[in-house]
Amino acid sequence: MAEIERRMIAPALVEEALDSLRRLDKPTEPILARVGLSPRVDQPVSAETYGALWLAIAAELDDEFFGMGGRPMRSGSFTLLCHSVLHAPTLGQALRRALRFLDVVLDDPRGQLVIRDGLAEVELRDAGSPRSAFAYRTYWIILHGITCWLVGRRIPIRLVDFRCPEPKQGADYRLFFGAPVRFSQPISRLGFDSALLGLPISRSDQALKQFLRGAPANILVRYRYDAGIAAAVRRRLSQTTPALWLNFASLAAEMRMPPSTLRHRLHDEGQSYAAIKDEIRRDLAAELLLNTSKTISEIAVQLGYSEPSAFFRAFRKWMGKSPETFRWEEADST
């Protein structure tokens, strides 16, 4: 059941895709019928169905960016993009090629890779007013999906900023990326650990053909936040409080594998046990600060910290601000 749920796409994302047709006064029902969906989509759909819808809308508009760029991303552009990065020696070089390609095709927005403070950040700059959250998310899905496939593992996302206001389905965006997501920011950007830029690429032309046959459904599922062994560890930890978390050896035994195997598989996904625990504590901290009246000391205890000062240091590392400032700013913005 968990595997089935992981392969499902929220109906809000379907509606956002259909808005690309509505903006041009095109009917949505024929497209929905073509992929086996009813005129009203109010339940999650499979990644395969959403992928078919993606392709059908792109074909109808002759635009693989759904009319959201400065110029249409004509049919076949995604395939050419993949060919342009296939033989880059490293992830960093492939990412720069991909950004140049998308700049030429779309013209607007324009992407730039910026490296700072241990993060590789892809910044998107618009010539005019902010685009929709769906436009930025579509850009990130394309770019992140290709780069993950090139290196054969999920690239963990550390931050996502949107220049636009938060949409009504903002919670779905946070779940989708599995990273701190902020809206109404000066610039749209997506960040990950800069050390990953040196990862080698060793994909063949035959492998690319197979990848393209399954796109975009494959990138919507395989490299999601909730895929892989790291997600399995995350789910286990989320079922109990941080104070009761197992040590690494005990967790590996519970998952019926040697600690060395679990460590290796996490490393292959660019993760570690410490990093996963940090992510869960970060999300719990934000939830408790925003949705409860608990004191900072009480939250620190609930998160498994022996001293509030340790929680303060961790929170500043996660969010770049103190817990009190985060609570005040977020409350002030709502």
Side-chain angles (χ1 to χ4, degrees):
M1 181 62 68
E3 175 63 19
I4 293 173
E5 291 176 352
R6 188 178 70 77
R7 298 182 66 85
M8 303 304 283
I9 303 297
L13 189 54
V14 174
E15 285 301 311
E16 287 182 303
L18 293 173
D19 282 342
S20 304
L21 296 169
R22 298 184 183 114
R23 285 195 301 271
L24 299 174
D25 295 322
K26 290 182 175 289
T28 60
E29 289 191 17
I31 297 292
L32 289 168
R34 197 181 308 168
V35 299
L37 291 173
S38 63
R40 178 177 175 80
V41 180
D42 53 11
Q43 296 294 322
V45 303
S46 70
E48 290 76 14
T49 298
Y50 184 79
L53 178 66
W54 177 308
L55 295 175
I57 294 174
E60 176 68 21
L61 301 178
D62 191 20
D63 186 349
E64 294 179 343
F65 199 60
F66 301 157
M68 300 182 296
R71 288 197 294 253
M73 186 174 173
R74 298 298 185 193
S75 298
S77 296
F78 181 80
T79 296
L80 288 175
L81 169 59
C82 292
H83 280 285
S84 75
V85 300
L86 180 61
H87 298 298
T90 67
L91 175 62
Q93 288 167 291
L95 184 55
R96 290 183 175 91
R97 287 185 192 178
L99 291 172
R100 288 199 299 271
F101 183 97
L102 291 170
D103 281 355
V104 170
V105 170
L106 296 174
D107 187 52
D108 184 31
R110 302 182 71 84
Q112 179 183 8
L113 178 62
V114 178
I115 301 172
R116 63 164 71 94
D117 300 328
L119 287 180
E121 299 178 5
V122 177
E123 297 183 346
L124 287 183
R125 300 185 182 275
D126 306 283
S129 58
R131 286 173 160 75
S132 67
F134 180 67
Y136 298 123
R137 173 151 79 168
T138 301
Y139 192 104
W140 301 136
I141 287 173
I142 292 171
L143 195 66
H144 186 249
I146 291 174
T147 51
C148 287
W149 175 77
L150 284 171
V151 298
R153 72 191 217 190
R154 184 179 188 275
I155 298 169
I157 299 170
R158 299 306 181 198
L159 63 87
V160 187
D161 284 351
F162 288 84
R163 188 178 168 216
C164 59
E166 181 168 350
K168 61 182 180 181
Q169 60 273 23
D172 178 61
Y173 277 69
R174 292 184 173 85
L175 179 62
F176 185 88
F177 289 105
V181 173
R182 302 184 301 178
F183 294 92
S184 300
Q185 297 301 305
I187 193 170
S188 295
R189 60 180 182 150
L190 179 145
F192 59 92
D193 292 342
S194 59
L196 299 177
L197 293 173
L199 289 174
I201 292 170
S202 57
R203 291 292 193 177
S204 66
D205 291 303
Q206 184 59 40
L208 177 58
K209 290 179 182 178
Q210 184 177 355
F211 170 70
L212 291 172
R213 280 197 294 269
N218 50 8
I219 61 178
L220 287 165
V221 173
R222 183 167 183 181
Y223 303 116
R224 276 174 54 150
Y225 169 67
D226 54 358
I229 193 68
V233 171
R234 194 177 291 111
R235 284 192 291 271
R236 285 175 179 269
L237 294 182
S238 298
Q239 292 169 358
T240 186
T241 62
L244 300 177
W245 283 346
L246 299 174
N247 61 41
F248 188 74
S250 298
L251 176 69
E254 189 177 89
M255 297 182 72
R256 300 181 180 180
M257 65 180 75
S260 58
T261 300
L262 178 57
R263 187 174 293 107
H264 179 72
R265 291 184 62 182
L266 287 173
H267 181 267
D268 283 347
E269 294 182 13
Q271 284 282 15
S272 69
Y273 189 41
I276 293 170
K277 290 191 292 185
D278 250 13
E279 289 174 6
I280 297 174
R281 283 192 172 108
R282 177 199 67 206
D283 294 344
L284 280 174
E287 180 183 348
L288 292 169
L289 287 166
L290 296 180
N291 299 321
T292 75
S293 58
K294 292 185 176 183
T295 67
I296 304 302
S297 295
E298 288 171 335
I299 293 174
V301 171
Q302 186 168 339
L303 295 179
Y305 291 98
S306 56
E307 296 289 340
S309 58
F311 171 55
F312 269 84
R313 289 193 298 272
F315 196 87
R316 280 191 174 277
K317 182 184 71 173
W318 299 329
M319 302 296 194
K321 60 187 73 172
S322 70
E324 295 99 329
T325 301
F326 175 83
R327 173 178 266 172
W328 178 81
E329 289 181 349
E330 291 296 321
D332 190 57
S333 66
T334 57

